[in-house]
Amino acid sequence: MQDNATEVTAAGIARLAGVGRAAVSNWRRRHADFPKPVGGTETSPAFALTEVEAWLRKQGKLAEVPLRERVWQQLAGHPEGPLTALVHTGCVLLLIHERPTVWLDVSAGSDERLAAMLPGALEQVLAPRFGAAAGLANPGVKAVASDPAVNTSTGQRSVNAPTAVHTPSAAHDDPGAPPAHSTPTPTGHSASAGPAASALRTPSGPQLLPSAPLLRGAAELAAEVGARQAYEFLLGRHLDANPRQYTLTPAELARLMADLAGPARSVLDPACGTGALLRAVDARPGQELYAQDGAPHLAALTALRLALHSRAAVRGAAGDTLRADAYPELRADAVLCHPPFNERNWGHDELAYDPRWEYGFPARTESELAWVQHALARLADGGTAVLLMPPAAASRRSGRRIRADLLRRGALRAVVALPVGAAPPYNIPLHVWVLRRPDRTPAAPEVLLVDTGRFAGEGRGGPDWEAVREAVLDAWRGFARGGRLEERPGLARSVPVIELLDDDVDLAPARHLPPPAVADGAEQLTAVRDRLGATLRLTADLTPPPADPAPPARWPLTTVGELARGGALVLRTGGNGGHARVPVLTDHDVLAATAPSGTLPESEEEAVLTEPGDVVVPVLGGGSVTRVIDDVTAGAALGRSLVLLRPDRTALDPWFLAGFLRGTANNRQASSYASTATRLDVRRLQLPRLPLDEQRRYGARFRALDEFERALRLASRLGEQLVRGMYDGLTDGTVAPD
């Protein structure tokens, strides 16, 4: 059953029809019978999904709305907002996952019958999975009626909010949130907080009735792909559609942090966001997962996500962790946490005499050290806590006394400096702290310091996670076995605590690690110099011959859009991770002519995999750049902000296509301009209609230019590497001036 109230934007219509937004604008102008807006704003109107679907089908532009798209549009256009819709959908998908026959019974009949019977059915699943607190809400009374908390990011009242306004923790597990260092979380702060509330309450019948069409669609999707995959798709789509509201904890980093914590039967994340850290924990029999977040909807979404992900007992709570700890009696085997950074209103004035401050009362500017001590307080003796920290927490003078006590008592076991680009804010090399609740004080304690900065990737490609993971875990496991680690120059060493207990108590690893071995450094510089010489000779050989003047050509032109409609090429857009982990070609890789270096979250939507002869075009940034995929790059997934053109080799030469698409005038006429960015409409790019033999003549010349350009780029990078290495060697004494 289709929901007549569901609205869809122009971008949603474009996805439904598989066209660009410009095509939707053209339809609105050219067709008098195009559906009229029913909501939104003048600049971003919204249309009734049923009317749009009927119009597209009438025009022959759509045979059937894809099920995934229909369900997503129902969720995005839900009258109570997408977060409420996600909670309702997650509850039903958990019911389908655990008791499918119960769902079949309650879903038979009208929407009114479904809404009336569903709360009782959900109670049978939610209470056992989340505890008695996830009981049935007062039927007929909206949960928001007695709750003043409003989610300002959506403008909707929270359907499952606690009975007091709580300061939220970082919503940090998925792309794009504003950095916690500078921006308050959406629901704001309160001067004080009441007790934490259960993350999830069973919605009542009146609350569920507007969601009935969405829930039926989600059930169809679950039958097609599975309940867990359906929920991951809808949640991931919401997070992608609201990139500024959530801060990312990359899956690779979450996995590394979980591995550092080790196997654990009980695990707590006190600032859970959407659950990335707890989802990375290896499952064990009888496992218990505890989550808390100050944003009520995020706490609920995490609880549902974890319940669908594993058979572990899940306990979720909504409330300000520092002011209203939901688990004061918990002693967990492990704590994983990506706390909000640089918070000033974390409860400094209210919590001066809190028993959690075993290592000293944190200054107002040291909220991260409050989270560190909260994590230690919730650990069993010998338990491990792993926290993502800003690098300033390792060296700020206001925190030196607490850092010193953590070291003296053997609580702080390791500080790992991550490469730049590991997590937002991407321009800062964040740290990972590994702590243990001491069951005894070591006789001669040492602390492990690791610096993985050498594994940073180029630009926005992200670090070499495999290398980071191998280096960190190898060092940590070696250190954990005996409490010491043999020195690994430039990478890791265990430092006696007494060496760090000076006036600064500075724990930044780079300040305590010796440089790489002298012999290795000199040999590496020699190798770089030899490679640079060979590259310069190759560049000279590849330099194009003098250009012969010729009169301007007057070719008949066509566009990429026309070629796609005629079947001469296939046009695909990137951005989905698919099921398998494969290298991802990013827009930066294309611009810098480097190997695939990116990652994408796993997705139920199939990734677009490159093939030899494909032409890839970045759509952001205003640069006239293309890349022809070769055998080395083939098989990589297509990243975001990239368009792939797959030419029919019997009609189009790939190098001819790539070369003409790079013309400056061509890019200028196909570009649109926003206030801060330039976007390329690839369909509007032009190229001449030429016979295939003539295309190949031009293609050969374009290919030679590409080889010359690659050689120039390589020479530039090698030259910079040699100059930087020589400066470093001369200044640290590893290279003689003669």
Side-chain angles (χ1 to χ4, degrees), residues 55 412 432 488 575:
W55 187 88
L412 182 58
V432 171
R488 301 177 183 183

mmCIF file of all heavy atoms in Angstrom, residues 55 412 432 488 575:
data_model
loop_
_atom_site.group_PDB
_atom_site.id
_atom_site.type_symbol
_atom_site.label_atom_id
_atom_site.label_comp_id
_atom_site.label_asym_id
_atom_site.label_seq_id
_atom_site.Cartn_x
_atom_site.Cartn_y
_atom_site.Cartn_z
ATOM 1 N N TRP A 55 3.070 10.012 -12.786
ATOM 2 C CA TRP A 55 3.489 10.820 -13.932
ATOM 3 C C TRP A 55 4.661 10.167 -14.662
ATOM 4 O O TRP A 55 4.675 10.098 -15.899
ATOM 5 C CB TRP A 55 3.863 12.226 -13.474
ATOM 6 C CG TRP A 55 4.138 13.156 -14.606
ATOM 7 C CD1 TRP A 55 3.242 13.930 -15.280
ATOM 8 C CD2 TRP A 55 5.418 13.405 -15.220
ATOM 9 N NE1 TRP A 55 3.867 14.635 -16.275
ATOM 10 C CE2 TRP A 55 5.205 14.336 -16.259
ATOM 11 C CE3 TRP A 55 6.692 12.938 -14.995
ATOM 12 C CZ2 TRP A 55 6.242 14.809 -17.060
ATOM 13 C CZ3 TRP A 55 7.727 13.400 -15.793
ATOM 14 C CH2 TRP A 55 7.498 14.322 -16.807
ATOM 15 N N LEU A 412 47.493 3.975 32.444
ATOM 16 C CA LEU A 412 47.702 4.275 31.030
ATOM 17 C C LEU A 412 48.775 3.343 30.493
ATOM 18 O O LEU A 412 49.918 3.366 30.937
ATOM 19 C CB LEU A 412 48.127 5.733 30.846
ATOM 20 C CG LEU A 412 48.337 6.194 29.397
ATOM 21 C CD1 LEU A 412 47.060 6.005 28.577
ATOM 22 C CD2 LEU A 412 48.778 7.644 29.351
ATOM 23 N N VAL A 432 45.002 7.298 19.981
ATOM 24 C CA VAL A 432 44.241 6.257 20.668
ATOM 25 C C VAL A 432 44.948 5.956 21.981
ATOM 26 O O VAL A 432 46.158 5.681 21.982
ATOM 27 C CB VAL A 432 44.137 4.980 19.807
ATOM 28 C CG1 VAL A 432 43.546 3.837 20.622
ATOM 29 C CG2 VAL A 432 43.283 5.229 18.572
ATOM 30 N N ARG A 488 61.702 0.175 18.162
ATOM 31 C CA ARG A 488 61.518 0.135 16.715
ATOM 32 C C ARG A 488 61.631 1.572 16.211
ATOM 33 O O ARG A 488 60.664 2.334 16.297
ATOM 34 C CB ARG A 488 60.151 -0.473 16.367
ATOM 35 C CG ARG A 488 59.994 -1.885 16.911
ATOM 36 C CD ARG A 488 58.627 -2.475 16.647
ATOM 37 N NE ARG A 488 58.522 -3.794 17.250
ATOM 38 C CZ ARG A 488 57.459 -4.586 17.148
ATOM 39 N NH1 ARG A 488 56.402 -4.176 16.431
ATOM 40 N NH2 ARG A 488 57.442 -5.768 17.733
ATOM 41 N N GLY A 575 29.801 5.552 -5.356
ATOM 42 C CA GLY A 575 29.441 5.913 -3.991
ATOM 43 C C GLY A 575 28.968 4.783 -3.119
ATOM 44 O O GLY A 575 28.776 4.975 -1.922
#
